[in-house]
């Protein structure tokens, strides 16, 4: 491992053992295990984050999302989250916890630094090219999550709609929809939550492409089965897919009421609303696309890792086509507890790889 006396520059950038891209749950977990494994901060490993401050995607959650309604924030390794008032906005509580975590473990986070590309170097390094310069890394942990890549479906007539269209990522509260009619699109938990919230001040219509999968309970066995489905997809080089598609929605009173009013997906968008092939039309002032996110991986494009199926083939956390790259928080590790476990696995394999041993399967 590199220490301060050994750090120099190649013709391409500053030499470093490991670069972690992203300082959300996955990135901070990975950084923690790198420190425990003996990598020196700043010279042996570094975390690059494009945000202005700690918190990752939690910085951008809508203000009405309170800690009591968050689906679970698993503690980062080595430091529990202090108890907080359940009515505290998640966009305040979680970033404060991440900030305390960075300070407690003296994690070498540099921000704001935007990673533009990761590419191979003839000198057997991975070049991490950023807005703050280039690092020549022996290994890279990508922990960029999905928040920066909201998914917008395309439907006929979408460009002619005269009302407002927004994504979950743009939502800031229900007050701006008072007195309007809002069409909410999407079958996930965020769609149901925002539908209920907007219905307090407006009329709503909920549409989904397929009937939501509902579950009355969620056992550990079902959780492992859902993770296994996603794991099989990424091992096959397919996009990870939605977690809700594998787990289903909890059958709460809120969900039950929403399902009773759900409509199938419309066929086109009109200037004043949405329409179905059978002639049914609904007027709308706004369309909220609660249609999820996709992994933020555009900066990895120079590595040529995309499979014909559209995803990156991953074994555990390791990119099969580039064993120096680990994707933490991708696929089966795209949860707070999953990211913690994956960070440990990625660091273990990186240690073995840099020591010359073949990486061990997760």
């Amino acid at each position: 491992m590199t220490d301060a006396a050994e750090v120099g520059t190649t013709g391409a950038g500053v030499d470093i053992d490991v670069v972690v891209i992203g300082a959300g749950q996955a990135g901070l977990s990975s950084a923690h295990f790198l420190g425990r494994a003996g990598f020196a901060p700043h010279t042996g490993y570094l975390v690059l984050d494009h945000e202005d401050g700690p918190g990752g995607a939690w910085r951008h959650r809508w203000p009405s999302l309170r800690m009591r309604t968050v689906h679970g924030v698993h503690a980062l390794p080595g430091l529990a989250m202090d108890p907080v008032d359940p009515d505290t906005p998640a966009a305040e509580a979680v970033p404060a916890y991440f900030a305390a975590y960075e300070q407690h473990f003296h994690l070498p986070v540099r921000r704001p630094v935007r990673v533009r590309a990761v590419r191979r170097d003839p000198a057997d390094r991975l070049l991490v090219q950023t807005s703050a310069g280039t690092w020549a890394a022996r290994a890279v942990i990508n922990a960029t999550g999905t928040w920066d890549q909201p998914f917008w479906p395309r439907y006929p007539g979408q460009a002619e709609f005269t009302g407002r269209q927004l994504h979950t990522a743009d939502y800031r509260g229900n007050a701006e929809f008072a007195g309007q009619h809002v069409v909410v699109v999407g079958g996930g938990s965020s769609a149901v939550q925002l539908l209920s919230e907007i219905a307090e001040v407006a009329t709503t219509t909920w549409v989904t492409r397929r009937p939501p999968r509902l579950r009355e309970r969620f056992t550990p066995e079902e959780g492992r089965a859902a993770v296994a489905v996603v794991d099989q997809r990424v091992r096959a080089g397919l996009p990870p897919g939605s977690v809700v598609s594998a787990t289903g929605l909890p059958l709460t009173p809120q969900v039950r009421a929403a399902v009773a009013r759900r409509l199938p997906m419309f066929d086109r968008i009109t200037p004043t609303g949405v329409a179905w092939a059978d002639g049914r039309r609904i007027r709308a002032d706004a369309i909220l696309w609660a249609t999820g996110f996709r992994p933020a991986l555009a900066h990895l494009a120079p590595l040529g890792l995309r499979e014909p199926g559209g995803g990156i083939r991953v074994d555990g956390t390791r990119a099969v086509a580039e064993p120096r790259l680990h994707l933490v928080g991708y696929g089966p590790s795209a949860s707070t507890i999953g990211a913690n476990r994956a960070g440990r696995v990625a660091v273990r394999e990186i240690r073995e790889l840099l020591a010359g041993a073949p990486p061990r399967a997760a």
Side-chain angles (χ1 to χ4, degrees), residues 16 65 100 112 114 118 132 145 181 203 232 242-243 262 288 305 353 362:
I16 194 166
L65 180 64
R114 184 168 293 278
V118 178
H181 186 82
T203 56
Q232 290 171 1
S242 165
V243 174
R262 182 198 72 90
L288 172 59
L305 303 177
L353 179 68

Side-chain angles (χ1 to χ4, degrees), residues 99-343:
Y101 190 87
E102 292 179 15
Q103 295 169 6
H104 181 83
F105 289 107
H106 305 289
L107 299 181
V109 181
R110 285 194 57 172
R111 59 168 63 93
V113 177
R114 184 168 293 278
V115 175
R116 293 171 174 153
V118 178
R119 60 182 77 248
R120 295 179 181 89
D121 177 27
D124 199 29
R125 296 284 180 128
L126 292 176
L127 297 183
V128 183
Q129 299 171 324
T130 81
S131 58
T134 298
W135 281 266
R138 299 174 68 194
V140 170
I141 294 177
N142 189 84
T144 48
T146 62
W147 187 261
D148 293 332
Q149 292 295 318
F151 174 63
W152 290 75
R154 292 290 175 253
Y155 277 83
Q158 196 163 7
E160 284 71 49
F161 182 61
T162 57
R164 181 186 178 196
Q165 297 187 63
L166 71 158
H167 192 274
T168 307
D170 307 310
Y171 181 80
R172 289 296 173 267
N174 63 3
E176 58 193 312
F177 302 106
Q180 299 182 4
H181 186 82
V182 183
V183 175
V184 178
V185 183
S189 56
S190 292
V192 175
Q193 183 175 350
L194 298 186
L195 179 77
S196 176
E197 188 171 302
I198 293 171
E200 296 174 359
V201 299
T203 56
T204 60
T205 297
W206 183 31
V207 299
T208 67
R209 285 197 303 122
R210 59 179 66 90
R213 285 186 56 201
L214 306 175
R215 55 176 173 82
E216 294 190 11
R217 59 188 180 88
F218 192 60
T219 66
E221 292 75 17
E222 290 170 324
R224 287 190 288 270
V227 171
V229 170
V230 179
D231 184 59
Q232 290 171 1
R233 289 185 60 84
V234 297
R235 286 179 183 272
L238 299 172
S242 165
V243 174
V244 170
S245 66
T247 63
L249 290 171
L251 193 54
T252 63
Q254 181 186 60
V255 170
R256 194 186 300 273
V259 169
R261 299 173 48 240
R262 182 198 72 90
L263 294 177
M265 192 64 196
F266 49 76
D267 295 290
R268 69 184 188 279
I269 300 173
T270 70
T272 58
V274 295
W276 286 258
D278 62 6
R280 177 170 40 184
R281 290 172 174 260
I282 289 180
R283 182 194 60 80
D285 300 291
I287 301 174
L288 172 59
W289 297 93
T291 44
F293 299 79
R294 298 294 184 264
L297 303 175
H299 55 286
L300 301 180
L303 298 175
L305 303 177
R306 290 283 185 186
E307 297 283 335
I312 295 177
R313 192 181 299 272
V314 174
D315 181 4
T317 62
R318 187 178 66 252
V320 173
E322 178 46 81
R324 296 171 294 180
L325 173 69
H326 285 256
L327 281 73
V328 179
Y330 176 81
S333 64
S335 67
T336 54
I337 188 170
N340 286 356
R341 294 169 176 167

Side-chain angles (χ1 to χ4, degrees), residues 50-121:
H50 76 283
E51 297 287 353
D52 292 327
W58 290 99
R59 293 166 54 86
H60 308 292
R61 301 296 197 220
W62 52 95
S64 56
L65 180 64
R66 309 287 165 160
M67 291 301 292
R68 71 167 67 253
T69 54
V70 169
H71 289 297
V73 179
H74 197 272
L76 285 157
L79 184 67
M81 185 176 184
D82 290 336
V84 297
D85 186 328
D87 287 325
T88 303
E92 296 177 9
V94 180
Y97 170 50
F98 282 13
Y101 190 87
E102 292 179 15
Q103 295 169 6
H104 181 83
F105 289 107
H106 305 289
L107 299 181
V109 181
R110 285 194 57 172
R111 59 168 63 93
V113 177
R114 184 168 293 278
V115 175
R116 293 171 174 153
V118 178
R119 60 182 77 248
R120 295 179 181 89
D121 177 27

